[in-house]
Amino acid sequence: MSAAAVHSLWTTAADPMLKIPAPKIEYGQLSPTLIVIGAAVVGVLVEAFVPRRSRYYVQAFLAVVALAAAFAAVVGLAAGGYGTTKAHIAAMGAISVDGPALFLQGVILLTGLVAIFTFAERRLDPEAHGNRVDSFAAQAASVPGSDSEKAAVKAGFTTTEVFPLALFAIGGMLVFPSANDLLTLFIALEVFSLPLYLLCALARRKRLMSQEAAVKYFLLGAFASAFTLFGIALLYGYAGSVSYGKIADVVDGSVQNIDPALADTMGNDALLLIGVAMVAMGLLFKVGAVPFHMWTPDVYQGAPTPVTGFMAAATKVAAFGALLRLLYVVLPGMRWDWRPVMWGIAIITMLGGAIVAITQTDIKRLLAYSSIAHAGFILAGVIATTPDGISSVLFYLGAYSFVTVGAFAVVTLVRDAGGEATHLSKWAGLGRRSPLVAAVFAVFLLAFAGIPLTSGFAGKFAVFKAAAEGGAGALVVIGVISSAIAAFFYIRVIVLMFFSEPKADGPTVAVPSPLTMTTIGVGVAVTVVLGLAPQYFLDLANQASVFVR
Amino acid sequence: MENLIALLVAAPLLGAAVLLCGGRRLDRVGHLLGTLLAAASFVIGVVLFADMLGKNADDRTFTQHLFSWIPVEGFQADVSFQLDQLSMTFVLLITGVGSLIHIYSIGYMEHDERRRRFFGYLNLFLAAMLLLVLADNYLLLYVGWEGVGLASYLLIGFWQHKPSAATAAKKAFLVNRVGDMGLSIAVMLMFTTFGTFAFGPVLKSAEEHLGGGATLTGIALMLLLAACGKSAQVPLQSWLGDAMEGPTPVSALIHAATMVTAGVYLIVRSGAVFNASPDAQLVVVVVGAVTLLFGAIVGCAKDDIKKALAGSTMSQIGYMVLAAGLGPIGYVFAIMHLVTHGFFKAGLFLGAGSVMHGMNDEVDMRKYGALRKYMPVTFVTFGLGYLAIIGFPGLSGFFSKDKIIEAAFAKGGTEGWILGSVALLGAAITAYYMTRVMIMTFFGEKRWQPDGEGHEPHPHESPKSMTIPMIVLAVGSVFAGGFFSIGDRFLHWLEPVTEHSHGNAPISATTVTAATMVVLVVGAGLAYLQYGRRPVPVVAPRGSLLTRAARRDLLQDDFNHVVLVRGGEHLTRSLVYVDHTLVDGVVNGTAASVGGLSGRLRKLQNGYARSYAVSMFGGAALIVAATLLMRAV
């Protein structure tokens, strides 16, 4: 910015004739986000004022009610036509209220709701000193293995802060896919990332690993955010605005008047291209696309399993939502530039995830690589650049998130003396010992593998169909090859569970409370229903596939 | 009203789900719940029937569309139902007989600790069978088709602790796979030829001879193969005899009254396809005629009461297939015989079950005798079923079988004479073997022996829950045929769906009836002379060559073993060789290289955040460069 520009800012701001207009905020249309964030703030107050004994109940209740109410608000808005005819941009151009936003918010809220149930589970670990314990550290600040940790466990402390933290994260995720300018996008990114870093560090067992995961996630996340922010700056320099619509206009060439303050940079294509690449990189980091995926296995493995399930599902939904909006609203004019690059990323993501997963020996790492491969499949739908591409991605995200939350909930059940038994060798013969749990997990694995009559098949089919119709036939071929490779390791787990002899010192399956049962039950139900009768939900996703600009 | 159709299927399906997933806490009420839901389905069926009767004959077709399963351009897999007069007939038969057999099973399976599971399977069968007859397209029909196959497999092998039952279940499953393969090929051919699965368009295209004669013949023959598998027709008949290892109510419901008639349904439903291909129709009548005699001959030699009845079932279905192969002359009578057969054969099987119930599960008729005094109700109901099946004047079988024999003659030409004579001969043999069963079981002197553990059987009448269904079925066996035939009620009812033509009979109906009466008397008389006039030996005599062959099911298993099993083994061995050397080489090689790649790529994940950051930086640089490059290109 030149000195003259700064000066002009000074003078205009000091001009008494120019008043700052009061912002117009459509509270009703933002209500899902507001409810969740509001409940998170109340949750912080609960930590301060409610006695320790009853905090767990108050927090869990508050979180569940807030998420249910927010979901009801989303349904209300969708029923009111805000997803279709009344779609528009709210909050002074900061937030879009349209079909994709409402659909993804609904998915995030439902996933968050069932994930919160696993957060609240307190029957899996044996009682410590007569207190029921959940998956989270007694006192996050105490050094692992220290006396203060033992004292905290003995006193029956629990980290009930996880509930408001999760609510903050969900609040950020709700804004992320509906952000309509780059700054809102960035703030939403930070709002949902920071609580997740914290949540990752809170495991009750294997705390050092959990803390290591959190630090890695934080460092790499900060690194990726820096790229994003720099990309945003470059895009501002290119377009003279951070608003999606205005950038799109400049990209299209429909706006010719150049802001004198940005005369040096505006319309400079190099800025646009580099900026787009950097912003996209930040989003690709969040979805876990190769080569920005390296954090995924370590963090998925180290984080408390309920948190892993939550973030594996909800983060992906939010980040793909934002990526869709960026590519379809801001950059349709330059799709010939970004499509080939995304092609490449989708290919290495699908193949990379599937191939490396083959040699994994830990179930959580296996699922992490599987999630990478799935990110690649979804990218194939993103690349389609057709309305079908949008709706297929929406459907895939809905299907995938429930399978993921359910699968990680099952992982919390298989335990031995050291907590969760995540090494695959321990899962040998699980089908003999606990046929029901093994069968449920097998359903999830089949859905991951995309076997017909599960939601995974319907989702994969929709995405590949959209990609093929969008002219990406070669990508579909590679996608199918990757699916075949991926099927190998999913089926291998099934074979291991059902056709191997159980080990003598094998893990036991803990009997969960109705909370986790609900999570798993919902996961199975959604998986099967979306597999048997996907059409209704495909239609729903179709109706919700128009972005407002 | 149409919305009730889905409930027909949903009620037993719900029962199956609840009973099979519900666990032990449902053990005490499971059988009642299962029976209630079967009855509920029957009631819905009756309501729909009443509604249908209130409409004109031409708009008696109800449809209900539930949902489409992933419609892709040109590929429409609908879950939708079609209820017309043909489906309605089946719905009433399936749910009616099904409910009676549920009631019967309450008593029959009383001491079985897995009774809840048994009722769960029965409900599953009802749901699948109803799906089969209610589907409005071949793809959904296929789902039901596989469903009844599964239920049949589970129920034949229900007493899986007996190796013979487990083997029989496997045999039924494998033989049925051959038929199922035929159906799937037929469905695929239809789709490639006509571009749809739905009955309406497929049959209309077949009527207009679209797709060419060869293709239509191919489709028809594949449908026939499917029908042969499910309905135990030659050459896929071998499983039905062994299927009698299942509990007797299962034999009555699935392997006599309903499932085994699915093949007849398939042929009649696909009538237009067969009409368009006279060659295929010829094959159908040949299969029907051969099976008719085959089953009847086997039935004459069996000493196991259920296997004798199984032979009879095969033979009676042969009549139906024969009638269905005659085209519009025979469709209505095929279905009419199917319904009356459903009554009397189910009744006969339930009677056999009642006898076994009183005789410590003894099945050898040579160890029965004189049971009429001990089981009067069973005797009377079984006796009425017997009179019905041999075609005693005035009873159900008389009307329905007579019509098929007439229709066979009406086919015309040499063909008509041959088919008519075979049908008449079959009627004679039917009279023979059924009289034999009747005499050996209920007449003569008692030939009971203590079983292996020294328990003398104490034959007694079965409980009410068993006798009442038998009585109801006996009433049907007596009156159904007359009710259907007087004023051609059944003909008028079904004609709008199946069409009907009279053919040109070379001899009058009266002559046919008279001839039938004569052969009936000859057959029954022969049996009386052989078994009624002198004592039945407890150990079977060696018998003639034909008898010995018939006891071994006319060497069907030996034939299958030599031709199919041996041949199959050779084929598999050579295929396995190719698989090991060629295919496995490629597959394992690929797998090993992917695995090796995986091991190497995995090393990149070294746990250091700095390496990860470098990877990200490199990636970012790459995509920036690539994006710039794309613009430059």
Side-chain angles (χ1 to χ4, degrees):
Chain A
M1 211 177 272
S2 65
V6 174
H7 181 70
S8 72
L9 276 176
W10 262 109
T11 46
T12 45
D15 188 347
M17 297 300 289
L18 196 104
K19 292 197 180 108
I20 297 172
K24 179 166 165 287
I25 305 288
E26 295 85 343
Y27 291 101
Q29 293 159 35
L30 303 182
S31 56
T33 315
L34 295 178
I35 291 170
V36 173
I37 298 278
V41 173
V42 175
V44 173
L45 295 177
V46 168
E47 284 301 319
F49 295 110
V50 172
R52 194 183 288 280
R53 290 225 148 271
S54 37
R55 261 183 230 164
Y56 163 79
Y57 300 99
V58 177
Q59 291 283 27
F61 179 75
L62 182 66
V64 168
V65 170
L67 292 173
F71 182 70
V74 167
V75 172
L77 287 174
Y82 285 101
T84 49
T85 48
K86 285 203 254 172
H88 73 130
I89 296 168
M92 306 290 285
I95 304 276
S96 327
V97 180
D98 59 6
L102 288 174
F103 187 94
L104 293 172
Q105 287 178 341
V107 172
I108 292 169
L109 286 166
L110 277 186
T111 332
L113 185 62
V114 290
I116 282 290
F117 287 137
T118 61
F119 279 49
E121 175 65 57
R122 300 213 293 178
R123 296 239 185 111
L124 297 175
D125 256 324
E127 293 188 354
H129 303 284
N131 297 306
R132 286 208 172 141
V133 295
D134 51 22
S135 308
F136 300 101
Q139 196 174 30
S142 60
V143 177
S146 66
D147 290 337
S148 69
E149 185 190 34
K150 282 173 196 146
V153 171
K154 199 165 184 192
F157 289 0
T158 49
T159 311
T160 44
E161 289 91 342
V162 293
F163 295 103
L165 281 173
L167 287 181
F168 276 122
I170 293 172
M173 288 169 182
L174 295 181
V175 177
F176 204 47
S178 58
N180 194 50
D181 68 49
L182 291 167
L183 281 181
T184 312
L185 178 83
F186 183 72
I187 290 167
L189 174 71
E190 294 303 316
V191 168
F192 85 75
S193 295
L194 291 171
L196 283 181
Y197 302 149
L198 280 175
L199 285 169
C200 285
L202 291 179
R204 171 173 290 269
R205 310 249 194 176
K206 298 177 187 148
R207 285 192 62 199
L208 282 174
M209 208 170 140
S210 164
Q211 294 182 346
E212 183 190 326
V215 170
K216 277 184 192 166
Y217 193 14
F218 172 65
L219 282 175
L220 297 171
F223 192 49
S225 292
F227 273 92
T228 310
L229 197 53
F230 193 49
I232 291 173
L234 293 178
L235 285 179
Y236 177 76
Y238 168 76
S241 168
V242 289
S243 156
Y244 282 5
K246 288 189 181 141
I247 298 175
D249 289 342
V250 179
V251 172
D252 292 344
S254 54
V255 173
Q256 296 294 343
N257 54 331
I258 290 175
D259 186 344
L262 295 167
D264 299 345
T265 57
M266 254 188 95
N268 183 338
D269 276 354
L271 291 187
L272 168 69
L273 296 172
I274 300 173
V276 164
M278 287 175 124
V279 173
M281 183 220 140
L283 297 176
L284 291 170
F285 173 82
K286 281 293 165 197
V287 303
V290 179
F292 316 106
H293 68 291
M294 310 276 281
W295 60 277
T296 325
D298 291 14
V299 174
Y300 278 22
Q301 188 184 15
T305 309
V307 174
T308 310
F310 166 63
M311 76 182 172
T315 309
K316 209 158 252 169
V317 178
F320 266 113
L323 189 62
L324 275 180
R325 192 176 294 277
L326 183 73
L327 297 180
Y328 282 73
V329 174
V330 185
L331 305 170
M334 55 171 293
R335 64 169 160 281
W336 304 114
D337 296 303
W338 60 257
R339 264 187 73 159
V341 180
M342 284 291 172
W343 260 71
I345 297 211
I347 289 171
I348 56 174
T349 306
M350 289 189 282
L351 284 175
I355 289 176
V356 183
I358 288 180
T359 39
Q360 297 306 313
T361 51
D362 184 283
I363 189 76
K364 283 169 82 177
R365 287 185 86 84
L366 179 86
L367 291 177
Y369 280 104
S370 133
S371 89
I372 294 169
H374 280 279
F377 298 140
I378 304 175
L379 273 177
V382 170
I383 292 167
T385 57
T386 55
D388 270 359
I390 303 175
S391 67
S392 69
V393 169
L394 295 182
F395 180 86
Y396 199 115
L397 288 170
Y400 173 78
S401 54
F402 284 95
V403 181
T404 305
V405 173
F408 278 104
V410 174
V411 171
T412 64
L413 302 183
V414 182
R415 311 176 79 88
D416 59 14
E420 288 160 13
T422 54
H423 199 274
L424 270 180
S425 64
K426 302 250 175 86
W427 286 56
L430 191 72
R432 307 263 175 100
R433 218 171 292 162
S434 314
L436 185 64
V437 170
V440 166
F441 199 64
V443 169
F444 290 138
L445 288 173
L446 291 175
F448 278 135
I451 305 296
L453 300 186
T454 63
S455 60
F457 172 74
K460 217 174 251 179
F461 184 81
V463 165
F464 285 164
K465 179 175 161 235
E469 282 169 359
L475 198 62
V476 173
V477 172
I478 294 172
V480 172
I481 292 173
S482 313
S483 302
I485 299 174
F488 169 76
F489 60 80
Y490 295 126
I491 306 295
R492 197 182 57 156
V493 176
I494 296 180
V495 170
L496 191 71
M497 288 194 299
F498 287 98
F499 302 105
S500 311
E501 283 304 316
K503 286 194 175 170
D505 59 340
T508 51
V509 170
V511 178
S513 70
L515 291 167
T516 302
M517 280 189 207
T518 312
T519 309
I520 297 174
V522 171
V524 171
V526 171
T527 306
V528 173
V529 169
L530 290 194
L532 289 177
Q535 199 51 47
Y536 174 78
F537 299 93
L538 281 170
D539 290 344
L540 195 68
N542 246 336
Q543 286 168 22
S545 65
V546 181
F547 283 105
V548 65
R549 176 173 156 187
Chain B
M1 211 33 98
E2 275 92 349
N3 299 337
L4 285 176
I5 300 175
L7 280 182
L8 277 172
V9 182
L13 194 63
L14 174 78
V18 170
L19 291 180
L20 294 178
C21 303
R24 294 206 188 87
R25 66 206 102 142
L26 288 177
D27 272 353
R28 298 167 90 217
V29 293
H31 52 287
L32 297 178
L33 183 68
T35 310
L36 200 70
L37 284 167
S41 197
F42 177 61
V43 171
I44 298 167
V46 170
V47 169
L48 282 164
F49 179 58
D51 186 56
M52 189 181 271
L53 284 182
K55 306 217 164 154
N56 283 330
D58 289 335
D59 42 53
R60 280 180 175 170
T61 302
F62 302 163
T63 53
Q64 183 183 11
H65 177 78
L66 279 192
F67 60 91
S68 301
W69 189 75
I70 315 195
V72 186
E73 194 177 21
F75 176 92
Q76 186 82 11
D78 282 340
V79 177
S80 48
F81 299 126
Q82 170 184 328
L83 184 69
D84 57 13
Q85 291 92 324
L86 182 60
S87 321
M88 192 73 239
T89 311
F90 271 87
V91 165
L92 291 178
L93 177 73
I94 294 162
T95 55
V97 176
S99 303
L100 288 175
I101 282 167
H102 273 78
I103 296 168
Y104 179 89
S105 304
I106 295 176
Y108 191 83
M109 300 297 283
E110 191 167 7
H111 305 297
D112 196 300
E113 54 189 40
R114 291 162 75 230
R115 177 160 71 162
R116 169 182 56 82
R117 187 180 291 256
F118 180 79
F119 277 84
Y121 291 157
L122 276 188
N123 271 354
L124 178 67
F125 167 75
L126 282 191
M129 187 76 203
L130 287 167
L131 189 66
L132 197 168
V133 298
L134 285 171
D136 93 325
N137 61 74
Y138 283 98
L139 202 61
L140 191 61
L141 177 142
Y142 187 73
V143 176
W145 189 270
E146 292 291 317
V148 292
L150 170 69
S152 158
Y153 166 79
L154 291 170
L155 285 164
I156 294 171
F158 187 72
W159 287 320
Q160 54 200 224
H161 52 85
K162 288 198 295 185
S164 58
T167 316
K170 205 193 286 175
K171 186 176 181 185
F173 196 78
L174 288 176
V175 176
N176 266 298
R177 289 322 293 167
V178 180
D180 296 350
M181 214 53 214
L183 184 55
S184 63
I185 293 173
V187 172
M188 288 183 237
L189 274 177
M190 280 173 198
F191 184 70
T192 51
T193 316
F194 308 126
T196 173
F197 301 112
F199 289 149
V202 167
L203 299 178
K204 192 162 180 333
S205 313
E207 261 169 35
E208 292 159 5
H209 291 268
L210 295 179
T215 317
L216 283 172
T217 306
I219 294 175
L221 288 178
M222 286 299 125
L223 289 173
L224 174 66
L225 182 66
C228 284
K230 200 61 82 197
S231 295
Q233 300 294 293
V234 175
L236 298 178
Q237 81 291 359
S238 65
W239 63 274
L240 186 63
D242 296 86
M244 297 300 124
E245 289 290 342
T248 307
V250 172
S251 311
L253 176 62
I254 301 183
H255 305 119
T258 54
M259 185 192 83
V260 286
T261 58
V264 181
Y265 171 78
L266 186 66
I267 296 176
V268 174
R269 176 59 84 192
S270 317
V273 179
F274 285 91
N275 294 345
S277 169
D279 295 342
Q281 278 186 322
L282 180 66
V283 182
V284 176
V285 290
V286 169
V287 165
V290 169
T291 313
L292 186 171
L293 293 179
F294 187 105
I297 292 171
V298 169
C300 295
K302 290 286 180 187
D303 290 331
D304 178 327
I305 184 168
K306 283 178 72 182
K307 294 207 168 164
L309 290 177
S312 153
T313 303
M314 209 184 277
S315 161
Q316 298 300 315
I317 298 172
Y319 272 109
M320 299 170 210
V321 170
L322 170 65
L326 296 172
I329 315 175
Y331 289 140
V332 173
F333 303 127
I335 300 297
M336 186 161 118
H337 192 54
L338 192 155
V339 175
T340 57
H341 174 257
F343 281 114
F344 54 70
K345 188 51 69 65
L348 287 170
F349 264 108
L350 293 190
S354 172
V355 169
M356 287 161 57
H357 196 70
M359 293 289 289
N360 291 353
D361 287 330
E362 179 60 67
V363 289
D364 189 350
M365 292 187 292
R366 293 189 182 275
K367 295 176 184 162
Y368 290 168
L371 288 176
R372 68 177 184 283
K373 295 173 208 152
Y374 301 90
M375 305 177 146
V377 180
T378 307
F379 169 62
V380 171
T381 53
F382 195 94
L384 289 172
Y386 156 74
L387 291 176
I389 192 171
I390 64 170
F392 192 80
L395 274 67
S396 286
F398 168 76
F399 293 102
S400 55
K401 201 188 290 176
D402 205 45
K403 291 283 188 202
I404 292 182
I405 299 173
E406 275 173 35
F409 279 113
K411 175 84 178 169
T414 330
E415 214 185 314
W417 279 105
I418 296 174
L419 294 175
S421 315
V422 167
L424 268 181
L425 179 61
I429 308 180
T430 307
Y432 173 81
Y433 69 73
M434 281 313 299
T435 310
R436 174 176 174 270
V437 168
M438 195 69 198
I439 291 173
M440 284 173 85
T441 306
F442 291 103
F443 293 90
E445 74 287 18
K446 61 180 187 178
R447 302 182 295 276
W448 319 328
Q449 290 172 343
D451 61 10
E453 290 153 21
H455 298 297
E456 178 92 17
H458 296 285
H460 53 270
E461 193 50 87
S462 297
K464 282 255 163 51
S465 66
M466 289 169 67
T467 51
I468 289 171
M470 285 152 60
I471 294 168
V472 176
L473 287 171
V475 171
S477 312
V478 174
F479 298 109
F483 177 78
F484 290 159
S485 291
I486 292 166
D488 284 337
R489 277 204 189 96
F490 200 76
L491 183 62
H492 295 313
W493 159 251
L494 215 52
E495 203 181 351
V497 185
T498 60
E499 298 179 1
H500 184 70
S501 66
H502 282 288
N504 40 353
I507 45 177
S508 74
T510 331
T511 322
V512 172
T513 310
T516 316
M517 284 306 106
V518 171
V519 299
L520 190 162
V521 172
V522 170
L526 215 59
Y528 175 73
L529 289 178
Q530 205 174 347
Y531 295 95
R533 295 287 294 275
R534 49 191 163 175
V536 178
V538 174
V539 178
R542 197 172 135 77
S544 68
L545 201 62
L546 181 64
T547 314
R548 274 178 282 154
R551 277 191 199 135
R552 302 193 58 171
D553 301 295
L554 294 176
L555 306 181
Q556 61 181 12
D557 292 335
D558 308 74
F559 176 82
N560 285 350
H561 189 78
V562 171
V563 177
L564 300 178
V565 178
R566 289 261 181 79
E569 273 173 356
H570 282 296
L571 184 66
T572 352
R573 241 178 261 139
S574 21
L575 284 179
V576 164
Y577 177 75
V578 173
D579 185 56
H580 272 293
T581 48
L582 221 79
V583 181
D584 278 12
V586 175
V587 170
N588 291 342
T590 317
S593 54
V594 171
L597 187 60
S598 174
R600 240 163 259 148
L601 285 178
R602 197 183 160 192
K603 299 231 169 67
L604 292 176
Q605 191 80 24
N606 57 12
Y608 292 118
R610 53 177 188 259
S611 313
Y612 299 175
V614 168
S615 149
M616 284 168 59
F617 185 79
L622 207 65
I623 61 170
V624 167
T627 318
L628 288 172
L629 191 68
M630 281 307 134
R631 178 56 64 95
V633 176

